[in-house]
Amino acid sequence: MTTDPEPGTTAGSSATQIRERLWAAANVVAPTSVITALLFYFGYVATRARFAYFGVYLDLVDLSFQETLLYGAEVAYPPLIILAIISLLMVATHAGFRWLLSAPHRDPVTGWAGLFVTLIGLLAFARGVVGLLVPNVARTEAIATTPVSLGAGVLAVAYGLWLLRHVGIRWDLRRAARTDDEPPAGAGKLAVWLASAAVVRTSKYALAWVSVTVVAGAFWAANSFAAAYGRGRALDDAESLPRRPEVVLYTQTPLTMFPDGVLQAEAPTKPEAADKEAFRYRYTGLCLLVESNARLFLVPTRWIAGSSYTVVIPYDDRIRVELRT
């Protein structure tokens, strides 16, 4: 014999099951795993841009997972600080609008503020769409202008409409409750429509898409920042090359090509040394960019963008390296 469930039991159990599944998914995808993945990704983007300035493909460098994470940790600090400041400003702004909504006599101010936020959001979103559709705009704009405009624009539009909805409901209910004379025709219908289940359901769907756009814009902006950060670090590296220890390279056979500014000379050798074992050629004016997978990536101490290039030397017994400070 079966009994019918009490009203609301099915909905309650469904909500509980959804929460349990979300909690299980959160346990599977641990926060540490997400943070590690983000650090690796941003480290990869920044390091790729950093080495690309010196004409080196990151796949050729073959950095280890730990080294890429270290580069990612370096890139993550500025975006985290910016995100924390923006979050604090958003919390303070929301608290101010909640204060405006707490008293009906402040509804005119709240309504104008909601309209202003909505218009600003539409303009920012339009700017983001232009940057998305016109490649030349995206190439010449400031860092992350297009993704920030898209994400902030839709968020501002959603928040402004939320303010206007609350103000509109209370304004229409006051019109319907007027006792000094006959209420205007249609008074109260706007409030009923704004509070209806259809509008609430549509708002939830719209909020989901707003969240997707904001998250995608945030990742896009972080990606642009990581690439710009890597290029900035490359410029710093190029400026600091003359102050780094100089690499003196000794080889058994002459290099067929070497960058401008690198000097080649014959190194003095002992008479009893066999020719095949003697390091007869000496190269000065080099600095170490990175060492990986038994290879040295050497750049000239005077790096000239557009004409200098990186020399890749196998780090084995066929060469000898000295450092001069």
Side-chain angles (χ1 to χ4, degrees):
M1 179 177 180
T2 60
T3 58
D4 296 332
E6 296 181 359
T9 302
T10 303
S13 60
S14 299
T16 303
Q17 292 177 358
I18 292 175
R19 285 194 296 269
E20 290 176 353
R21 291 177 181 176
L22 291 176
W23 180 254
N27 289 331
V28 172
V29 185
T32 54
S33 301
V34 175
I35 294 174
T36 302
L38 291 177
L39 288 179
F40 179 82
Y41 174 74
F42 293 133
Y44 176 83
V45 172
T47 309
R48 182 182 62 183
R50 185 175 184 176
F51 288 148
Y53 178 80
F54 296 98
V56 178
Y57 290 103
L58 185 57
D59 295 337
L60 182 64
V61 179
D62 193 21
L63 293 177
S64 65
F65 180 76
Q66 291 78 6
E67 290 172 330
T68 308
L69 284 182
L70 291 176
Y71 283 113
E74 180 185 38
V75 177
Y77 294 135
L80 287 177
I81 294 174
I82 294 174
L83 180 62
I85 294 175
I86 293 176
S87 300
L88 290 175
L89 292 176
M90 292 177 62
V91 169
T93 302
H94 181 66
F97 281 120
R98 296 289 296 182
W99 175 78
L100 289 176
L101 288 171
S102 62
H105 69 274
R106 290 191 285 263
D107 282 349
V109 177
T110 309
W112 283 110
L115 183 61
F116 177 76
V117 171
T118 303
L119 292 177
I120 291 296
L122 288 174
L123 292 175
F125 182 75
R127 169 60 183 82
V129 172
V130 171
L132 188 65
L133 298 180
V134 183
N136 188 45
V137 173
R139 284 195 297 265
T140 57
E141 68 185 8
I143 300 174
T145 300
T146 293
V148 169
S149 297
L150 289 172
V154 295
L155 186 62
V157 170
Y159 194 81
L161 293 178
W162 177 77
L163 290 174
L164 292 175
R165 177 174 175 268
H166 281 268
V167 172
I169 290 175
R170 293 203 303 202
W171 172 76
D172 199 41
L173 289 178
R174 285 199 301 271
R175 291 177 65 222
R178 291 171 58 180
T179 57
D180 53 345
D181 52 10
E182 289 293 329
K189 292 183 178 180
L190 177 62
V192 172
W193 178 73
L194 290 176
S196 63
V199 173
V200 173
R201 184 169 58 252
T202 303
S203 300
K204 291 181 179 179
Y205 293 150
L207 184 60
W209 286 108
V210 167
S211 302
V212 170
T213 305
V214 171
V215 172
F219 272 97
W220 187 359
N223 184 82
S224 300
F225 176 83
Y229 186 88
R231 289 191 294 270
R233 287 305 306 268
L235 294 175
D236 292 339
D237 291 340
E239 292 180 358
S240 65
L241 287 177
R243 299 187 296 272
R244 292 186 181 184
E246 181 186 9
V247 174
V248 181
L249 180 66
Y250 295 87
T251 64
Q252 296 177 358
T253 58
L255 298 179
T256 57
M257 295 182 61
F258 48 89
D260 294 336
V262 178
L263 301 178
Q264 180 190 42
E266 288 197 14
T269 58
K270 297 180 180 180
E272 63 272 12
D275 290 342
K276 64 177 182 179
E277 296 178 355
F279 297 94
R280 299 176 52 188
Y281 302 94
R282 178 177 62 191
Y283 298 88
T284 57
L286 292 167
C287 283
L288 178 65
L289 178 63
V290 67
E291 185 278 329
S292 177
N293 199 19
R295 289 172 299 175
L296 299 177
F297 294 79
L298 304 174
V299 294
T301 55
R302 298 291 180 182
W303 179 267
I304 302 175
S307 61
S308 299
Y309 55 89
T310 303
V311 178
V312 183
I313 302 293
Y315 193 24
D316 51 25
D317 56 359
R318 291 173 296 179
I319 67 169
R320 191 178 71 194
V321 175
E322 292 180 358
L323 294 180
R324 294 180 180 176
T325 56

